[in-house]
Amino acid sequence: MKEELDKDIDQEIEPREMNPTEYRLLTLLFNFFRFPDGITLSSLRKIMEGFYDNENRDSDRRKLSRDIEELGALGFHIKYYPQKNGKDFVYVLVKDPLSKTLEFTEGELREISALLLRGYSEAPKYELYTAARKIFAGDLEYFPEMNETPEESSEELGETAFQILEALKNHTPIRIKYYKTFPEDSYTKEADPIRLIRKGGQDHYLLAYDREEKAKKRFVLPKILSVELLQGDPLYQARGAKKETEEDLIIHAGLFPVHEPKNVVWICKEEGLVKAKLFLTGIKYTEEKNKLSFQSTNLEGLLPFLWRWPDAIETVLPEELNSVFRNSVKQISELYEKV
C-alpha cells in the first residue's frame, strides 16, 4: 500500500523561493491568524513596515484590498467593518464554517423529528415544514412511527399546513374553514391558493383567490382551522387583470389604504432603532443615522409599535400621528377605568 501511495506523489514539483508578493501575502495571512479579532490598516502599517509604508495612505489601502482579494481566491476570506470614528476599518479573517460539523445519533434525530411534529400540531408554520425537509433531506427514516387513528394522526401532523402546501404545489382549489376573531365564529370559503406570504419571520398569510367574491384575499395562516382539497381546475389565472401586484403582498397595517399617503419620520434612540426597523418590515423606508423616513396610508397601523415601545423614539412626525397616539392611549385608559 505504501509503495502505491509513493507512486502517486508528483516528483516534478520543486520548491522555489517566494517572490515579494507571495512573501507579503503569507506574512499578512499569519498576522490575521495572530489577531483573530481583526486588524486595522493603521496597525498593519506598524507591524508590517516595509510592506505597507506608502506616504499615500489610500495607496496602501488599495494594495491591501488587492491582497485581500488574492487571499480570498486562495480560500481565506476577509471582511471589513467600519470603526466608530469613521476613519479606519477592522479587517477580520472569516472562520471556515465547514471546520465545525454537527453529528446526531439516531435517538437525537428521533427526538428532533418528534419536536417538529409536535410544533405542527400546536401551531402549523411553514418554517417547521422547511426545517424538516432541510434537516432530513426527504429521508423519513427517523420520523416517529404513527400508530394513531387517521383523525389523531391528522391532528399530530398538522394536516392543515400540509394540505395548504399540497394545494399550492399542485394548483388545487381548496375549501377552508376560517375565522377572523373567534374560532366559534368561523365560516367557509372556497379559494384558489396563490402563494404564502411571510412578514418578519413570525406572521404568515395565505394569498388566495376568493371564488365567490372573485377577488384576491389574504388569510392569516394560524386562523385557517381546516382545509379540504376540491376537484376541478382553479379559476385564478396569474395573468391579465388578475395577475399579482405589489398591493397583493401588502401585509403591514401601516400600508392599508385608509387615507392618502402621509410622510412619517421617526428619530429613534440608538437602542430602539433595530426594533423600529423590524416593525417596519414590509414598508419601504430611508435611513439616515437614527432617522427613519417613510410613507403610510394608515397612521393607526403604526400604533402597536408606539404602544409597546414608546421610549424607543425621540421624535415622531407628523403631529397628526402624535395626536392619533395620544387619543388612542386616552381611549385605552378610559376603557380600563370602566373595567
Side-chain angles (χ1 to χ4, degrees):
M1 181 68 180
K2 181 178 181 302
E3 293 178 356
E4 292 179 358
L5 290 175
D6 290 340
K7 291 179 181 179
D8 293 334
I9 296 177
D10 190 347
Q11 300 290 344
E12 297 180 2
I13 298 178
E14 296 182 1
R16 60 176 177 81
E17 293 185 4
M18 288 187 292
N19 61 42
T21 300
E22 293 171 335
Y23 185 59
R24 184 178 71 248
L25 289 174
L26 187 60
T27 305
L28 177 62
L29 180 60
F30 283 160
N31 276 305
F32 278 120
F33 286 139
R34 286 180 59 201
F35 303 99
D37 293 333
I39 322 173
T40 63
L41 177 59
S42 300
S43 298
L44 279 172
R45 286 163 64 92
K46 294 178 181 178
I47 62 178
M48 291 186 63
E49 188 176 356
F51 294 105
Y52 303 103
D53 55 1
N54 196 301
E55 293 183 2
N56 187 337
R57 183 184 177 90
D58 288 336
S59 178
D60 275 346
R61 190 185 303 278
R62 289 191 293 270
K63 181 194 290 186
L64 177 59
S65 296
R66 291 193 298 269
D67 289 346
I68 286 175
E69 289 182 4
E70 289 285 341
L71 290 177
L74 295 172
F76 300 99
H77 301 286
I78 295 156
K79 291 187 177 181
Y80 63 91
Y81 305 90
Q83 292 279 71
K84 290 185 177 180
N85 58 21
K87 297 180 181 180
D88 211 340
F89 294 89
V90 176
Y91 298 86
V92 182
L93 177 64
V94 179
K95 295 181 179 178
D96 184 2
L98 300 178
S99 61
K100 296 181 179 179
T101 58
L102 293 176
E103 294 184 1
F104 295 95
T105 65
E106 180 177 331
E108 289 171 334
L109 287 175
R110 290 186 182 278
E111 288 297 324
I112 292 173
S113 62
L115 289 173
L116 288 170
L117 294 176
R118 187 184 306 167
Y120 251 124
S121 65
E122 295 173 354
K125 289 189 175 181
Y126 183 65
E127 279 80 3
L128 293 177
Y129 174 79
T130 56
R133 293 185 66 88
K134 290 174 182 176
I135 292 174
F136 301 105
D139 183 1
L140 305 183
E141 178 184 355
Y142 295 121
F143 267 67
E145 295 180 4
M146 308 300 291
N147 298 319
E148 301 87 344
T149 63
E151 292 77 17
E152 292 173 342
S153 177
S154 174
E155 293 178 1
E156 184 68 19
L157 289 172
E159 187 67 19
T160 297
F162 279 116
Q163 294 281 40
I164 290 176
L165 291 168
E166 186 70 18
L168 283 167
K169 178 181 177 181
N170 298 320
H171 305 288
T172 305
I174 56 176
R175 181 184 291 117
I176 63 173
K177 189 176 181 181
Y178 185 75
Y179 73 93
K180 289 186 176 179
T181 307
F182 302 105
E184 54 267 27
D185 296 330
S186 63
Y187 53 92
T188 59
K189 278 283 185 183
E190 290 191 2
D192 296 339
I194 300 173
R195 69 161 66 196
L196 289 176
I197 306 174
R198 181 178 65 180
K199 173 191 172 186
Q202 296 179 347
D203 301 327
H204 299 79
Y205 300 78
L206 171 67
L207 177 65
Y209 180 75
D210 189 318
R211 294 183 141 206
E212 180 182 356
E213 299 184 25
K214 295 180 172 55
K216 285 169 284 188
K217 297 287 187 67
R218 290 175 292 269
F219 300 95
V220 182
L221 209 58
K223 293 187 176 184
I224 300 176
L225 299 176
S226 64
V227 179
E228 178 187 353
L229 301 180
L230 301 179
Q231 299 293 327
D233 297 325
L235 301 179
Y236 174 77
Q237 300 295 328
R239 61 175 181 269
K242 295 180 181 179
K243 67 181 181 181
E244 293 178 56
T245 64
E246 289 188 6
E247 293 182 356
D248 293 330
L249 304 181
I250 292 176
I251 54 178
H252 199 295
L255 294 180
F256 290 169
V258 177
H259 51 67
E260 292 298 315
K262 297 183 180 181
N263 295 322
V264 179
V265 174
W266 286 355
I267 300 179
C268 307
K269 296 180 180 178
E270 187 172 353
E271 63 274 13
L273 182 61
V274 174
K275 295 178 181 177
K277 289 166 68 175
L278 287 174
F279 174 79
L280 293 177
T281 300
I283 296 181
K284 295 181 180 179
Y285 60 84
T286 59
E287 180 180 358
E288 183 181 349
K289 295 185 178 180
N290 288 359
K291 177 182 175 182
L292 301 176
S293 304
F294 56 95
Q295 286 194 331
S296 172
T297 52
N298 180 24
L299 293 181
E300 290 188 358
L302 306 175
L303 292 179
F305 181 83
L306 300 179
W307 290 333
R308 187 172 182 181
W309 291 295
D311 297 331
I313 303 178
E314 294 180 344
T315 305
V316 174
L317 295 173
E319 180 56 35
E320 181 182 354
L321 179 54
N322 282 300
S323 178
V324 170
F325 173 65
R326 287 193 294 268
N327 289 337
S328 68
V329 173
K330 182 179 178 181
Q331 291 175 7
I332 293 172
S333 177
E334 290 174 352
L335 287 173
Y336 271 99
E337 289 177 358
K338 295 178 182 179
V339 176

